[in-house]
Amino acid sequence: MRTPSLAAIGPAARREARFLGYASGNFGKNILWSTADITLLFMLTDMIGLPAATAGAIFFIGLACDAVLDIVVGWSAERTRTRFGQFRPYILIGAPLCAAAFVLLYSLPFLDVRDALTVAAAVTLFRALFAIADIPHNALITRMTRDSRARTRIAGYRMAFSSIASLLISLAAPLMLAGANRPGTLLILALVAAGGAVATLVIAAFSAGHLDRPAAPVPMALREQVAAILASPDARILLGVTILTGLFPPLFAKTFLYFGQYVLDEPHSVSACLSAMVLGQLVGIPFWSWLGAATEKAYALAASHLIAASGFFAVAVFQPGGWVIAALGLWCGLGLGGLYMLIWAMAPDVVEQIEAAGRGRPDAMLFALLIFAMKLAISLGAMALGLVLDVAGYRAGGVQPEDVRTAIIWMTGTVPATGGLLCAFAALGYRLGHREHARLRRQIATENEVEA
C-alpha cells in the first residue's frame, strides 16, 4: 500500500489549520456574547438592583441598536477595498474596542453604578461595538471555501470554539450567585474574557490571509443587496428560521439562572445544567457535522430543534434537580449545538444561490441581515422575559410567590420548547441541498470562464 507523501498531506493540513484558526474567533466572540446573553439580565436585576421590566427594556434597547448597526457594518464591509483585505480590518479594529466596552459594562456593579440611563448607555455601547467585529468575521466563511460540505465542517469547528467559551461561562456562573465580593470577581472575569476575545479574533483575522479578497471589484448598492437576498426563497426561509431561533431557544439559558435559584432552590444546579448543556454541544458537533454532510443541512437543523425542544419540555414538566437536571442539560445541549451550528453552515450556500441567479454576491449583507434578525429576536425575548417576571411580581432575592415560580417555569421550558417545534417545521421549507449547491457552483464557474 502506498504511503501518502508529505506534499500530498501538506496542503490539506494547511487548509484545516486555516479553518481552525478562522473558527477560533468564535471563542473570542462567544466569551463576550454568551456572558452577556446568559448573565446580563440577572446582573441588572440582582446585582445592580433594577426592576425586571427596566432591565428587560435595557436588554432590548442594547440588542436593537446592535442589530441596526449590523446592517450598517454589513453595508460598509461590502464596500470596503483595502490592501489588508475586505473584512479583516474590521475585526482587527473592532475586537479591542468591543473588549474594552465589555469590561466597562461588567465593572458597573464594582463601581456601584445604579442609574438606569448610565447602565443603558454601557449596554448599548458594548452591543454596538460587538457588531464591528462580528459581521465581518461571519462573512469570512464565504471566502474560506466554496464547498458546501467543507462549510459544514468549518461550522462545526466554530461551534466547538463557541461551546468551549460557553463551558467556561457556565462554570463561572455560580460566582454571580454567591460570594461576598461578587462585583470584584465579576470584574476580574470580565478582564480575562476580554483578553481572550482579542487574542482569538486577531488569530482569526490573520488566518484568512490572502483569501480575504472582494468577490467583485465594484460593490453593490444597499438596495440591490437587500433585494437580491429577499428574492431568494431559501434566504427568506433561513431568515424566518433565524428569527424563531433567536426568539425561543435562548430563553432557556436566560431563565435557568432564575429557575435554579427560585424554583429548584439549588443555585449549584445552574452550573451543573449549563455546564452539561455545553458538554452536550461539544459531544454533538461531530454528529451534526456528519449528519449535515451525509443528508441535508435542513433535515439536520429540524432534528436539532426537536431534540432541544424535548429537553425543554422535560425540564418544565418534571422540574428535576441533582444529576437529572444535568442529564437534561446534556440532552438540550446536544440539540442546541446543531441548531446554532447549522444556520451558519447554510448561509454561505445561499450566497452562491444569489450569485447564480445573476444578482451579485452580497456576502456580508446576508450575514448582517441574519444576525440582525437573530439579535432583534433575542432582544424581544429578553424584554418579554423581563415583562413577564415584572407582571408576575418578581422581586430579587428571597422566596418568590407562586405566580413568579409558574412564570419562571413556563419561560424556562414550555415557551422555548413550543418555539423549537415551530423552528423545526420552518427549517423543512429550506430546499438548497448539496447537489443543487454543487450545480450552482458549476454554473457560476462556467459563466466566469465565458466572461473571461
PDB file of all heavy atoms in Angstrom, residues 238-251:
ATOM      1  N   LEU A 238     -34.408  30.935   5.544  1.00  0.00           N
ATOM      2  CA  LEU A 238     -33.344  31.000   6.545  1.00  0.00           C
ATOM      3  C   LEU A 238     -33.551  32.181   7.481  1.00  0.00           C
ATOM      4  O   LEU A 238     -33.295  32.078   8.689  1.00  0.00           O
ATOM      5  CB  LEU A 238     -31.992  31.095   5.838  1.00  0.00           C
ATOM      6  CG  LEU A 238     -30.754  30.690   6.642  1.00  0.00           C
ATOM      7  CD1 LEU A 238     -30.892  29.270   7.180  1.00  0.00           C
ATOM      8  CD2 LEU A 238     -29.504  30.810   5.795  1.00  0.00           C
ATOM      9  N   LEU A 239     -34.012  33.304   6.952  1.00  0.00           N
ATOM     10  CA  LEU A 239     -34.311  34.455   7.803  1.00  0.00           C
ATOM     11  C   LEU A 239     -35.424  34.132   8.800  1.00  0.00           C
ATOM     12  O   LEU A 239     -35.344  34.486   9.983  1.00  0.00           O
ATOM     13  CB  LEU A 239     -34.719  35.655   6.942  1.00  0.00           C
ATOM     14  CG  LEU A 239     -33.590  36.483   6.331  1.00  0.00           C
ATOM     15  CD1 LEU A 239     -34.133  37.435   5.269  1.00  0.00           C
ATOM     16  CD2 LEU A 239     -32.854  37.266   7.418  1.00  0.00           C
ATOM     17  N   GLY A 240     -36.468  33.450   8.340  1.00  0.00           N
ATOM     18  CA  GLY A 240     -37.558  33.072   9.232  1.00  0.00           C
ATOM     19  C   GLY A 240     -37.108  32.132  10.328  1.00  0.00           C
ATOM     20  O   GLY A 240     -37.456  32.304  11.517  1.00  0.00           O
ATOM     21  N   VAL A 241     -36.315  31.132   9.957  1.00  0.00           N
ATOM     22  CA  VAL A 241     -35.794  30.183  10.951  1.00  0.00           C
ATOM     23  C   VAL A 241     -34.906  30.907  11.958  1.00  0.00           C
ATOM     24  O   VAL A 241     -34.947  30.626  13.164  1.00  0.00           O
ATOM     25  CB  VAL A 241     -35.016  29.054  10.247  1.00  0.00           C
ATOM     26  CG1 VAL A 241     -34.293  28.174  11.261  1.00  0.00           C
ATOM     27  CG2 VAL A 241     -35.947  28.199   9.407  1.00  0.00           C
ATOM     28  N   THR A 242     -34.096  31.837  11.466  1.00  0.00           N
ATOM     29  CA  THR A 242     -33.187  32.583  12.338  1.00  0.00           C
ATOM     30  C   THR A 242     -33.968  33.408  13.360  1.00  0.00           C
ATOM     31  O   THR A 242     -33.589  33.486  14.537  1.00  0.00           O
ATOM     32  CB  THR A 242     -32.277  33.490  11.503  1.00  0.00           C
ATOM     33  OG1 THR A 242     -31.524  32.684  10.593  1.00  0.00           O
ATOM     34  CG2 THR A 242     -31.319  34.262  12.386  1.00  0.00           C
ATOM     35  N   ILE A 243     -35.052  34.040  12.936  1.00  0.00           N
ATOM     36  CA  ILE A 243     -35.877  34.828  13.857  1.00  0.00           C
ATOM     37  C   ILE A 243     -36.450  33.934  14.956  1.00  0.00           C
ATOM     38  O   ILE A 243     -36.382  34.258  16.152  1.00  0.00           O
ATOM     39  CB  ILE A 243     -37.003  35.540  13.087  1.00  0.00           C
ATOM     40  CG1 ILE A 243     -36.429  36.649  12.196  1.00  0.00           C
ATOM     41  CG2 ILE A 243     -38.034  36.131  14.056  1.00  0.00           C
ATOM     42  CD1 ILE A 243     -37.428  37.243  11.239  1.00  0.00           C
ATOM     43  N   LEU A 244     -37.006  32.807  14.565  1.00  0.00           N
ATOM     44  CA  LEU A 244     -37.581  31.893  15.558  1.00  0.00           C
ATOM     45  C   LEU A 244     -36.506  31.335  16.486  1.00  0.00           C
ATOM     46  O   LEU A 244     -36.729  31.173  17.688  1.00  0.00           O
ATOM     47  CB  LEU A 244     -38.307  30.751  14.843  1.00  0.00           C
ATOM     48  CG  LEU A 244     -39.571  31.141  14.057  1.00  0.00           C
ATOM     49  CD1 LEU A 244     -40.091  29.952  13.262  1.00  0.00           C
ATOM     50  CD2 LEU A 244     -40.650  31.660  14.992  1.00  0.00           C
ATOM     51  N   THR A 245     -35.337  31.058  15.926  1.00  0.00           N
ATOM     52  CA  THR A 245     -34.235  30.520  16.728  1.00  0.00           C
ATOM     53  C   THR A 245     -33.751  31.543  17.743  1.00  0.00           C
ATOM     54  O   THR A 245     -33.398  31.193  18.877  1.00  0.00           O
ATOM     55  CB  THR A 245     -33.075  30.085  15.811  1.00  0.00           C
ATOM     56  OG1 THR A 245     -33.539  29.072  14.911  1.00  0.00           O
ATOM     57  CG2 THR A 245     -31.915  29.528  16.622  1.00  0.00           C
ATOM     58  N   GLY A 246     -33.722  32.804  17.362  1.00  0.00           N
ATOM     59  CA  GLY A 246     -33.308  33.840  18.302  1.00  0.00           C
ATOM     60  C   GLY A 246     -34.360  34.138  19.363  1.00  0.00           C
ATOM     61  O   GLY A 246     -34.027  34.516  20.487  1.00  0.00           O
ATOM     62  N   LEU A 247     -35.626  33.952  19.013  1.00  0.00           N
ATOM     63  CA  LEU A 247     -36.715  34.312  19.919  1.00  0.00           C
ATOM     64  C   LEU A 247     -36.917  33.290  21.028  1.00  0.00           C
ATOM     65  O   LEU A 247     -37.161  33.660  22.186  1.00  0.00           O
ATOM     66  CB  LEU A 247     -38.006  34.469  19.124  1.00  0.00           C
ATOM     67  CG  LEU A 247     -39.230  35.007  19.870  1.00  0.00           C
ATOM     68  CD1 LEU A 247     -38.963  36.394  20.430  1.00  0.00           C
ATOM     69  CD2 LEU A 247     -40.443  35.031  18.940  1.00  0.00           C
ATOM     70  N   PHE A 248     -36.824  31.993  20.699  1.00  0.00           N
ATOM     71  CA  PHE A 248     -37.254  30.970  21.657  1.00  0.00           C
ATOM     72  C   PHE A 248     -36.143  30.199  22.384  1.00  0.00           C
ATOM     73  O   PHE A 248     -36.098  30.247  23.625  1.00  0.00           O
ATOM     74  CB  PHE A 248     -38.199  29.983  20.959  1.00  0.00           C
ATOM     75  CG  PHE A 248     -39.521  30.597  20.580  1.00  0.00           C
ATOM     76  CD1 PHE A 248     -39.818  30.892  19.263  1.00  0.00           C
ATOM     77  CD2 PHE A 248     -40.463  30.899  21.548  1.00  0.00           C
ATOM     78  CE1 PHE A 248     -41.031  31.468  18.916  1.00  0.00           C
ATOM     79  CE2 PHE A 248     -41.682  31.480  21.218  1.00  0.00           C
ATOM     80  CZ  PHE A 248     -41.963  31.764  19.892  1.00  0.00           C
ATOM     81  N   PRO A 249     -35.258  29.464  21.731  1.00  0.00           N
ATOM     82  CA  PRO A 249     -34.291  28.650  22.480  1.00  0.00           C
ATOM     83  C   PRO A 249     -33.436  29.415  23.489  1.00  0.00           C
ATOM     84  O   PRO A 249     -33.177  28.885  24.585  1.00  0.00           O
ATOM     85  CB  PRO A 249     -33.423  28.020  21.369  1.00  0.00           C
ATOM     86  CG  PRO A 249     -34.317  27.972  20.179  1.00  0.00           C
ATOM     87  CD  PRO A 249     -35.156  29.211  20.274  1.00  0.00           C
ATOM     88  N   PRO A 250     -32.979  30.664  23.211  1.00  0.00           N
ATOM     89  CA  PRO A 250     -32.149  31.354  24.208  1.00  0.00           C
ATOM     90  C   PRO A 250     -32.848  31.621  25.534  1.00  0.00           C
ATOM     91  O   PRO A 250     -32.184  31.876  26.542  1.00  0.00           O
ATOM     92  CB  PRO A 250     -31.787  32.672  23.513  1.00  0.00           C
ATOM     93  CG  PRO A 250     -31.887  32.379  22.061  1.00  0.00           C
ATOM     94  CD  PRO A 250     -33.052  31.434  21.952  1.00  0.00           C
ATOM     95  N   LEU A 251     -34.197  31.591  25.546  1.00  0.00           N
ATOM     96  CA  LEU A 251     -34.915  31.819  26.797  1.00  0.00           C
ATOM     97  C   LEU A 251     -34.548  30.787  27.856  1.00  0.00           C
ATOM     98  O   LEU A 251     -34.566  31.084  29.060  1.00  0.00           O
ATOM     99  CB  LEU A 251     -36.426  31.785  26.555  1.00  0.00           C
ATOM    100  CG  LEU A 251     -37.045  33.010  25.878  1.00  0.00           C
ATOM    101  CD1 LEU A 251     -38.508  32.740  25.550  1.00  0.00           C
ATOM    102  CD2 LEU A 251     -36.907  34.246  26.755  1.00  0.00           C
TER     103      LEU A 251
END
